[in-house]
Amino acid sequence: ELLKRILLGEPFVMAFDTSDTGHDEFSAMAVAEASSQSTGIGVMEQDEDVFTLTFEPTAPGDYALYVFYGEGQVTGSPFALRVVTGRGEVEVESVRFGDVGDPVLISLRLADVARRDQLGITANSPEDLEPEDVVDVTLQDDDTLLAQYMPTVSGQHHFEVLWRRGQIVDGSFDVDITPARHSAAPGA
């Protein structure tokens, strides 16, 4: 089970309190699943029997974090970590759209994006010089992003998926909006 997604270039820190088990040797290592290479992890004793480990990954991928205390592993070890670049990939799962005044509904699948709370979508209508934010963006637990945008003019609208205000790889697409259809009044 994945413990945490961490961003490449940002340290991952865990603390362990061993005061109930006595004083012993504390160590840790990370093993990259793709290459089976192990990486040492910095371990510091903060207070008596309180240890902090710091893992600073140098490459994206999945890692097993092994934590040892005395002769054995701590409960839960190995811990699963996924190191991501942050600017991952986006797959447009579906876009529903129609006329001016009908909402554009966007469902995106996200891959290897570390902090989903820093995601957003911008949209440019044919008249916009600056992007405007898409409203009602909802992050789902299954790595999907759902958004709704209400177009006010017809033409090609350009959308970009952003992370920390930078465009995600393959994170832009266009949608053509048709003029609003007017229905005839009854009896006309």
Side-chain angles (χ1 to χ4, degrees), residues 4-13 54-58 83-85 114-115 118 163-164:
K4 186 166 179 83
R5 289 178 194 261
I6 59 176
L7 184 61
L8 184 65
E10 291 185 7
F12 173 72
V13 179
T54 303
F55 172 48
E56 297 187 43
T58 58
V83 178
V84 297
T85 60
R115 298 278 313 268
Q118 296 179 5
W163 181 77
R164 287 189 175 177

Side-chain angles (χ1 to χ4, degrees), residues 95-106 134-136 147-152 159 175 177:
V95 178
R96 289 190 321 178
F97 59 92
D99 302 331
V100 170
D102 292 333
V104 175
L105 303 175
I106 305 162
V134 173
V135 295
D136 299 327
Q148 180 174 320
Y149 170 72
M150 185 65 71
T152 57
F159 293 84
V175 173
I177 302 297

Side-chain angles (χ1 to χ4, degrees), residues 3-85:
L3 171 69
K4 186 166 179 83
R5 289 178 194 261
I6 59 176
L7 184 61
L8 184 65
E10 291 185 7
F12 173 72
V13 179
M14 283 181 91
F16 293 89
D17 183 346
T18 61
S19 57
D20 291 342
T21 59
H23 193 76
D24 211 334
E25 178 97 10
F26 190 88
S27 63
M29 71 174 176
V31 177
E33 290 186 13
S35 66
S36 297
Q37 290 184 317
S38 64
T39 303
I41 295 177
V43 176
M44 291 183 57
E45 188 169 7
Q46 298 294 336
D47 292 319
E48 188 173 333
D49 299 324
V50 177
F51 296 90
T52 301
L53 63 88
T54 303
F55 172 48
E56 297 187 43
T58 58
D62 291 336
Y63 290 82
L65 179 62
Y66 293 88
V67 181
F68 303 96
Y69 184 69
E71 297 292 321
Q73 292 185 55
V74 300
T75 303
S77 177
F79 301 98
L81 299 175
R82 176 162 295 151
V83 178
V84 297
T85 60

